[in-house]
Amino acid sequence: MSWNARKTVGFTEAFAPDFYLPDQDLYIELTVMKQSPSRARTAKLRKLREQYPEIKIKLFYKRDLERLAQHFRLDLAS
């Protein structure tokens, strides 16, 4: 929660990661956008980490997924 423009407490932004890996206690966010247009998402992650440093979250870009698929010899759907 944070202060909104009317100086009342409320949710001004939300973030819902794509996956949660309970064994690792890790949230995963995937994006297939190029890295430059996803600055807003990166900013949200930075805010989340600042406010909740105990939460572990990892952002994967398209190139990261492609490297993982290549490493494990997986065929990604187009």
Side-chain angles (χ1 to χ4, degrees):
M1 287 195 290
S2 63
W3 293 97
N4 62 22
R6 291 180 287 173
K7 302 292 183 203
T8 59
V9 176
F11 291 99
T12 57
E13 289 185 285
F15 186 78
D18 296 308
F19 299 99
Y20 177 66
L21 306 175
D23 290 345
Q24 287 79 27
D25 190 29
L26 176 67
Y27 290 92
I28 303 290
E29 176 67 16
L30 304 173
T31 182
V32 294
M33 297 186 307
K34 291 182 182 176
Q35 209 167 344
S36 55
S38 65
R39 289 184 188 197
R41 184 173 303 198
T42 305
K44 280 187 177 184
L45 277 176
R46 187 173 47 254
K47 286 181 184 179
L48 184 137
R49 288 179 177 137
E50 288 172 0
Q51 292 181 354
Y52 305 98
E54 70 279 5
I55 293 177
K56 295 189 300 185
I57 188 162
K58 175 72 177 157
L59 176 62
F60 286 93
Y61 293 99
K62 183 178 180 180
R63 68 169 191 270
D64 299 320
L65 297 175
E66 290 169 344
R67 287 179 187 156
L68 282 170
Q70 185 179 31
H71 179 78
F72 291 104
R73 297 185 176 101
L74 301 173
D75 184 29
L76 292 179
S78 298

